[in-house]
């Protein structure tokens, strides 16, 4: 028999972070860099744990160059050739098949099977249509809270992948327990993104599409396989110029969040987070 889980599940839009007493005198005092040692590989990481998504429009070499200057990194998309890599870097990374999960039990299974970092998110992306095409998904905030709890109990780590529309959502993902936050749509439409700038009704735009969209599958495979359906859409996003301003906006938002809740370091944000349920995020009269 089908089972109905009647427990409350929340998305980023359903909550705000409650401000708390803070001894910070300036946003400049906040340290956004985090250091991790991974459970299985024993490798270490240090940097600002914001990742550009491995989508072929945003996960580009050009994006990686700029992100590195801010101690962040890019998940390079898998469709570059070996020759492309030789021109960009000396080492060609091994490409591994990987999928996303949204439940604690799958997080535990993957970590115990040897994974260090688990990507969490099914369907929350801005150009993902998995939820409407298949009926499958999980509200992202609850997915992050539950998966982080399972991962951290085993000394593993998670990436919150998808669902962020603004710097405040990035802060909520970290507050919910994400060790890393992956962004696609927020980094779309920039100079460093793949694709040409298009003039449309006097406005400059760039294409952005999901990697399970018809556009992506026809580009990389020639067609949509008969056994599957497209689970992504193609949109035109306003051309935003260099990504530098977007990076600074996200980092500035994170510093402000930490200041409001009294977290001197980004790594402390989860311990300083109390979410409150809301019915409205902001005053939209001039939206």
């Amino acid at each position: 028999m089908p089972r109905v889980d009647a427990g409350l599940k929340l998305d980023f839009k359903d909550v705000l972070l409650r401000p708390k007493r803070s001894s910070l005198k300036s946003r400049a005092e906040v340290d956004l860099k985090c250091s991790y040692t991974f459970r299985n590989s024993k490798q270490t990481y240090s940097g600002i744990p914001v990742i550009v998504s491995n989508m072929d429009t945003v996960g580009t070499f050009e994006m990686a160059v700029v992100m590195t200057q801010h101690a962040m990194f890019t998940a390079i998309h898998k469709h570059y050739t070996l020759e492309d890599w030789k021109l960009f870097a000396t080492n060609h990374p091994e490409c591994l098949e990987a999928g996303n999960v949204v439940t604690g039990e799958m997080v535990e299974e993957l970590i115990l099977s040897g994974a260090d970092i688990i990507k969490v998110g099914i369907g929350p992306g801005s150009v993902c249509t998995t939820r409407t095409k298949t009926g499958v998904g999980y509200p992202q905030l609850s997915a992050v809270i539950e998966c982080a709890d399972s991962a951290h109990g085993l000394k593993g780590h998670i990436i919150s992948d998808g669902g962020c529309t603004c710097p405040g959502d990035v802060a909520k993902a970290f507050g919910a327990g994400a060790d890393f936050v992956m962004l696609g749509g927020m980094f779309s439409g920039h100079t460093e993104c793949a694709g040409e700038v298009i003039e449309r009704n006097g406005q400059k735009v760039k294409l952005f599409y999901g990697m399970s969209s018809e556009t992506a599958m026809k580009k990389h495979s020639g067609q949509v396989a008969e056994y599957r359906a497209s689970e992504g859409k193609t949109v035109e996003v306003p051309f935003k110029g260099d990504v530098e301003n977007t990076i600074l906006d996200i980092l500035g938002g994170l510093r402000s969040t930490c200041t409001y809740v009294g977290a001197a370091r980004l790594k402390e944000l989860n311990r300083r987070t109390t979410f409150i349920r809301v019915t409205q995020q902001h005053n939209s009269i001039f939206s």
Side-chain angles (χ1 to χ4, degrees):
M1 290 292 291
R3 177 175 175 270
V4 176
D5 182 350
L8 181 67
K9 306 299 179 185
L10 300 171
D11 227 323
F12 295 133
K13 65 179 176 58
D14 299 315
V15 300
L16 289 169
L17 288 93
R18 191 180 77 188
K20 295 183 178 179
R21 180 181 298 161
S22 176
S23 61
L24 295 167
K25 295 180 174 60
S26 168
R27 287 164 173 78
E29 296 178 20
V30 176
D31 182 5
L32 295 180
K33 287 189 177 181
C34 298
S35 295
Y36 301 123
T37 298
F38 300 120
R39 167 199 158 109
N40 295 313
S41 68
K42 308 306 180 187
Q43 295 187 37
T44 59
Y45 161 83
S46 183
I48 299 175
V50 173
I51 311 172
V52 179
S53 176
N54 56 323
M55 305 167 79
D56 68 4
T57 47
V58 296
T60 64
F61 292 147
E62 294 81 2
M63 188 71 78
V65 170
V66 181
M67 295 295 286
T68 299
Q69 296 169 2
H70 292 273
M72 298 187 286
F73 62 98
T74 302
I76 303 293
H77 70 76
K78 65 182 180 181
H79 298 289
Y80 280 119
T81 65
L82 180 57
E83 292 304 312
D84 293 331
W85 274 101
K86 286 179 178 178
L87 292 172
F88 178 70
T90 55
N91 296 319
H92 179 235
E94 182 181 2
C95 293
L96 302 175
E97 291 295 329
N100 286 23
V101 303
V102 290
T103 61
E105 57 265 31
M106 278 306 302
V107 167
E108 291 169 356
E109 181 171 334
L110 289 170
I111 291 173
L112 293 174
S113 297
D116 280 322
I117 315 172
I118 313 300
K119 282 176 67 182
V120 173
I122 293 179
S126 58
V127 285
C128 181
T129 60
T130 294
R131 293 177 180 179
T132 55
K133 192 62 67 76
T134 70
V136 175
Y138 210 98
Q140 187 66 1
L141 182 79
S142 289
V144 171
I145 291 172
E146 294 170 24
C147 290
D149 181 58
S150 293
H152 296 163
L154 293 173
K155 301 188 186 310
H157 297 78
I158 69 162
I159 300 171
S160 174
D161 178 20
C164 292
T165 64
C166 58
D169 289 344
V170 180
K172 291 173 188 177
F174 282 120
D179 304 291
F180 300 86
V181 176
M182 179 172 278
L183 307 173
M186 287 180 66
F187 283 123
S188 67
H190 293 94
T191 303
E192 295 79 4
C193 297
E196 300 297 320
V197 177
I198 304 167
E199 290 276 355
R200 189 82 73 202
N201 299 322
Q203 301 293 322
K204 293 182 177 181
V205 299
K206 271 194 165 186
L207 289 184
F208 179 55
Y209 48 83
M211 294 308 292
S212 293
S213 67
E214 182 177 357
T215 299
M217 287 190 278
K218 284 185 174 180
K219 178 179 178 180
H220 299 296
S221 303
Q223 63 179 352
V224 179
E226 291 183 0
Y227 62 83
R228 66 171 301 170
S230 164
E231 292 180 27
K233 56 186 173 183
T234 301
V235 299
E236 294 179 349
V237 298
F239 176 58
K240 306 168 190 173
D242 293 345
V243 74
E244 181 79 12
N245 288 336
T246 296
I247 291 172
L248 295 178
D249 189 48
I250 293 170
L251 298 185
L254 286 175
R255 290 190 185 95
S256 290
T257 302
C258 289
T259 304
Y260 278 120
V261 302
R265 300 187 302 148
L266 179 60
K267 203 169 181 179
E268 298 172 4
L269 180 56
N270 175 241
R271 297 196 298 271
R272 297 288 299 169
T273 291
T274 298
F275 288 117
I276 54 173
R277 289 194 63 196
V278 296
T279 57
Q280 180 174 301
Q281 285 285 316
H282 57 86
N283 188 328
S284 60
I285 189 170
F286 294 123
S287 295

